[in-house]
Amino acid sequence: MKKTIAIIGSGFSALAAACYLAQQGNDVTIYEKNESIGGRARQFKKDGFTFDMGPSWYWMPDVFERFFQDFNKKTADYYDLIKLNPAYRVYFGVDDFINIYDNLEEIKSTFENIEKGSGNQLETFINQAKSNYDIAIKDLVYRPGVSPLELVTAETILKLNQFLSNVSHDIRKKFKNEKLIQILEFPVLFLGAKPTKTPSFYNFMNYADFGLGTWHPKTGMFDVVRGIENLALELGVTIKTNASITKIVVEDKIATGIIIDGNIIKANIVLSGADYHHTETLLDEKDRAYSEKYWQSRVFAPSSLLFFVGFNKKIENITHHALFFDVDFNQHAADIYDNPKWPDAPLFYANFPSKTDQTAAPEGMESGFFLIPLAPGIQDNEELREEYFEKIITRFEKLTQQKIKNNIIFKRSFCKQDFETDYNAYKGNAYGMANTLLQTAFLRPKLKSKKVSNLYFTGQLTVPGPGVPPALISGKLVAELIQKSFRS
């Protein structure tokens, strides 16, 4: 039977869920508080420059293909992909960097040249990571986190020890060179926790990196947003922007609609792809499944200080993606997770999309995106933002051996306060809730409200976790739960 479904937010998980729910034959409308869709994956344009405001790494291409295949489509029907080579560069000092290429053989050779014997060790490690990837991404993450028994399979029983150890420990057993260790530890940072707190099983992220490669949609990650939007529209989804929800209507413990601008919009199902904590504040306290104490006790992935910068010249000695690990990796991690504070010497990431996409900047110019991971919930003001921009640009100039400060046409910053204002993000987090052992699968906030019938959730605070591919999966999982509820 056809149902009316109101979806709050238009990030990847909400867009994906909308497609699945419309495919089921429902009347689906997305309500987005901002003026453009995409959630954290919005696009920003200024003076001929174009920036993705959020996700910039296209990993796990098989997950995107699987999503579109569910609608008898393929990614190429909606956007084109370019495989980056090198995938990225990691700077450790002046004239001291490592390129990660687009195939395992070259990466093995790079490792071997740095640490004798590490090439064969890497091959063994990536083979194990691929085995975990096949179990996790092709099976486990497509389970809704309803029961701990979802994790009990013949394959996971054989890998039980990998849930009891951590990524950092396993890497350090195989590799001794600190630079190689940091490169191998880097991918799990996408999961939102320190490598020492991330179960070894999650080394499947290394296969996503070295095995499947780093890709770039032809004109940026917003191509993917636009592609899924077009699919949703083809399926009959209605999308409304500048529609901020102030209340979820609950009658007799049943969600019956939402309130926008004082107007009640009736719905058989309410699904939120917005921040989970924020969504529950749209309910009366008695209808909330999780207390403030619960949220405060959770390990959240970092927030970020972002800079979108337009340069009036081409930047040299840089790749599309670049990581700057020329400072203490462990100390910055401690400043995020152990004793939250602004780091004295921050790691940072730089992304120059115009190296791949000529439409990202005017001819002869460059668009640059800089990111510093920060602890969620810390102080944020313009003075601190400027101080840290000066820190990273000074280091960038030194490490890439060029002057660029005087070539900045404009810059826009985005930090914790903006994550709170634009996305209602709890503590200004950028990546959701970390995937630690005690925050995995059934131990994450539920897709289905435990207190209110016909109220559902999707996105990075619920199952399966942070990242764009998991967001697409989350949308599928919640749509299946909703469909199942129709049958019961």
Side-chain angles (χ1 to χ4, degrees), residues 371-386:
L371 181 153
I372 302 173
L374 296 172
I378 62 173
Q379 180 187 11
D380 171 25
N381 58 52
E382 286 300 323
E383 290 75 21
L384 282 167
R385 296 186 189 194
E386 285 301 310

Side-chain angles (χ1 to χ4, degrees), residues 414-443:
F414 197 96
C415 197
K416 179 244 181 187
Q417 289 180 2
D418 302 298
F419 281 101
E420 290 176 338
T421 300
D422 286 11
Y423 310 130
N424 295 308
Y426 182 69
K427 293 185 176 180
N429 80 82
Y431 304 103
M433 188 183 292
N435 260 343
T436 61
L437 181 60
L438 296 179
Q439 293 181 174
T440 293
F442 67 96
L443 296 174

Side-chain angles (χ1 to χ4, degrees), residues 351-388:
N351 169 24
F352 288 87
S354 47
K355 291 294 180 187
T356 304
D357 170 19
Q358 300 307 309
T359 69
E363 186 176 353
M365 301 186 187
E366 209 88 85
S367 57
F369 167 100
F370 298 84
L371 181 153
I372 302 173
L374 296 172
I378 62 173
Q379 180 187 11
D380 171 25
N381 58 52
E382 286 300 323
E383 290 75 21
L384 282 167
R385 296 186 189 194
E386 285 301 310
E387 176 187 341
Y388 277 78

Side-chain angles (χ1 to χ4, degrees), residues 117-280:
S118 65
N120 288 336
Q121 285 279 33
L122 179 64
E123 184 167 21
T124 301
F125 180 73
I126 295 300
N127 284 339
Q128 182 191 69
K130 181 183 186 302
S131 172
N132 290 352
Y133 188 92
D134 289 342
I135 293 168
I137 303 303
K138 296 179 181 179
D139 183 16
L140 289 185
V141 293
Y142 285 91
R143 302 185 181 194
V146 173
S147 164
L149 295 178
E150 293 172 7
L151 297 180
V152 182
T153 68
E155 291 88 351
T156 56
I157 289 172
L158 290 174
K159 293 179 178 285
L160 182 61
N161 65 314
Q162 292 189 41
F163 288 94
L164 303 176
S165 184
N166 65 69
V167 165
S168 183
H169 177 264
D170 279 14
I171 289 172
R172 289 172 185 276
K173 280 196 305 184
K174 294 179 172 64
F175 304 91
K176 303 304 176 190
N177 183 278
E178 278 296 323
K179 294 174 185 176
L180 301 184
I181 288 169
Q182 288 181 22
I183 288 171
L184 288 168
E185 288 183 340
F186 147 69
V188 302
L189 297 179
F190 284 106
L191 302 173
K194 291 168 63 176
T196 54
K197 298 293 185 182
T198 304
S200 300
F201 183 75
Y202 283 104
N203 68 18
F204 65 72
M205 292 296 292
N206 293 107
Y207 175 71
D209 181 0
F210 291 177
L212 297 175
T214 301
W215 301 75
H216 183 69
K218 187 175 181 180
T219 60
M221 286 293 288
F222 197 72
D223 284 1
V224 188
V225 175
R226 194 181 292 113
I228 301 176
E229 176 194 23
N230 288 337
L231 173 62
L233 294 174
E234 290 166 16
L235 292 165
V237 175
T238 300
I239 301 175
K240 297 185 178 183
T241 55
N242 295 307
S244 183
I245 288 84
T246 55
K247 186 79 173 176
I248 295 172
V249 181
V250 177
E251 300 173 6
D252 297 325
K253 294 292 183 181
I254 300 171
T256 59
I258 55 178
I259 297 178
I260 299 176
D261 295 330
N263 299 313
I264 296 177
I265 298 170
K266 291 288 188 180
N268 302 118
I269 297 286
V270 175
L271 166 61
S272 178
D275 179 273
Y276 204 124
H277 171 270
H278 168 72
T279 303
E280 288 220 311

Side-chain angles (χ1 to χ4, degrees), residues 104-114 119:
L104 186 56
E105 286 306 310
E106 281 192 89
I107 299 170
K108 282 170 55 183
S109 179
T110 299
F111 271 51
E112 187 66 26
N113 289 337
I114 294 170

Side-chain angles (χ1 to χ4, degrees), residues 268-488:
N268 302 118
I269 297 286
V270 175
L271 166 61
S272 178
D275 179 273
Y276 204 124
H277 171 270
H278 168 72
T279 303
E280 288 220 311
T281 68
L282 303 177
L283 299 165
D284 291 336
E285 193 167 346
K286 61 182 174 56
D287 294 324
R288 299 172 191 171
Y290 301 98
S291 66
E292 283 298 316
K293 183 178 180 181
Y294 169 84
W295 292 111
Q296 290 168 11
S297 71
R298 299 300 89 187
V299 178
F300 273 80
S303 184
S304 296
L305 171 55
L306 311 173
F307 295 101
F308 308 99
V309 187
F311 297 94
N312 66 4
K313 72 170 185 177
K314 285 294 182 182
I315 308 300
E316 300 174 349
N317 308 326
I318 195 69
T319 53
H320 183 122
H321 295 295
L323 303 167
F324 291 81
F325 288 178
D326 55 308
V327 297
D328 191 327
F329 186 102
N330 294 320
Q331 182 56 54
H332 190 160
D335 291 340
I336 294 173
Y337 297 104
D338 301 336
N339 300 295
K341 70 182 187 72
W342 281 79
D344 293 327
L347 305 169
F348 69 97
Y349 156 65
N351 169 24
F352 288 87
S354 47
K355 291 294 180 187
T356 304
D357 170 19
Q358 300 307 309
T359 69
E363 186 176 353
M365 301 186 187
E366 209 88 85
S367 57
F369 167 100
F370 298 84
L371 181 153
I372 302 173
L374 296 172
I378 62 173
Q379 180 187 11
D380 171 25
N381 58 52
E382 286 300 323
E383 290 75 21
L384 282 167
R385 296 186 189 194
E386 285 301 310
E387 176 187 341
Y388 277 78
F389 184 74
E390 183 66 24
K391 284 187 178 188
I392 64 172
I393 287 298
T394 299
R395 279 170 45 208
F396 183 93
E397 289 186 327
K398 177 182 177 182
L399 293 167
T400 63
Q401 301 178 68
Q402 64 193 309
K403 296 295 184 182
I404 62 170
K405 289 180 188 176
N406 293 335
N407 299 101
I408 294 172
I409 300 174
F410 74 86
K411 75 173 187 294
R412 174 185 176 183
S413 66
F414 197 96
C415 197
K416 179 244 181 187
Q417 289 180 2
D418 302 298
F419 281 101
E420 290 176 338
T421 300
D422 286 11
Y423 310 130
N424 295 308
Y426 182 69
K427 293 185 176 180
N429 80 82
Y431 304 103
M433 188 183 292
N435 260 343
T436 61
L437 181 60
L438 296 179
Q439 293 181 174
T440 293
F442 67 96
L443 296 174
R444 296 180 71 81
K446 302 300 183 186
L447 292 165
K448 187 178 189 298
S449 172
K450 296 186 290 186
K451 288 197 171 183
V452 179
S453 297
N454 297 352
L455 175 61
Y456 294 82
F457 300 84
T458 187
Q460 58 189 8
L461 293 190
T462 182
V463 179
V468 178
L472 297 179
I473 295 167
S474 185
K476 178 174 184 168
L477 293 175
V478 75
E480 289 174 344
L481 271 186
I482 292 170
Q483 186 178 36
K484 186 177 178 181
S485 75
F486 293 165
R487 299 194 194 109
S488 60

